Amino acid sequence: TGEILSLVSLPDFDPNDRPQPLVGKKDDPADSPLFNRAVQGVYELGSTFKIFAVAQAMELGLVSPETMVDANAPMRWGKFRIKEF
């Protein structure tokens, strides 16, 4: 249904003991203790969409739950090298 059952952002803080926000122009907003990573962060969607690629591969009979996938080797796409974090 797309219903959100839970949402967490760490590190968390106590709203009754609110930390001071960053104010400098050189400060990265993501370093602020008030930055909510769950809704304000920008993420590479590969991790989010892996489930769709796997579901499609299973539906097409290309893989099964027992299929082993080697994710250790980096992949090259044009001039970019993509590797696991």
Side-chain angles (χ1 to χ4, degrees), residues 55-71:
Q56 181 70 31
M58 289 179 76
E59 189 172 285
L60 293 173
L62 301 173
V63 297
S64 72
E66 291 78 31
T67 302
M68 296 295 291
V69 177
D70 179 15

Side-chain angles (χ1 to χ4, degrees), residues 8-63:
V8 175
S9 179
L10 295 173
D12 60 353
F13 66 92
D14 181 354
N16 295 317
D17 186 20
R18 191 178 176 106
Q20 294 296 317
L22 299 176
V23 293
K25 290 185 179 186
K26 293 183 180 180
D27 292 328
D28 184 3
D31 293 335
S32 169
L34 303 176
F35 187 80
N36 186 331
R37 284 162 178 73
V39 296
Q40 292 176 297
V42 177
Y43 297 98
E44 184 270 318
L45 294 178
S47 296
T48 306
F49 283 96
K50 284 178 186 171
I51 190 67
F52 296 108
V54 171
Q56 181 70 31
M58 289 179 76
E59 189 172 285
L60 293 173
L62 301 173
V63 297

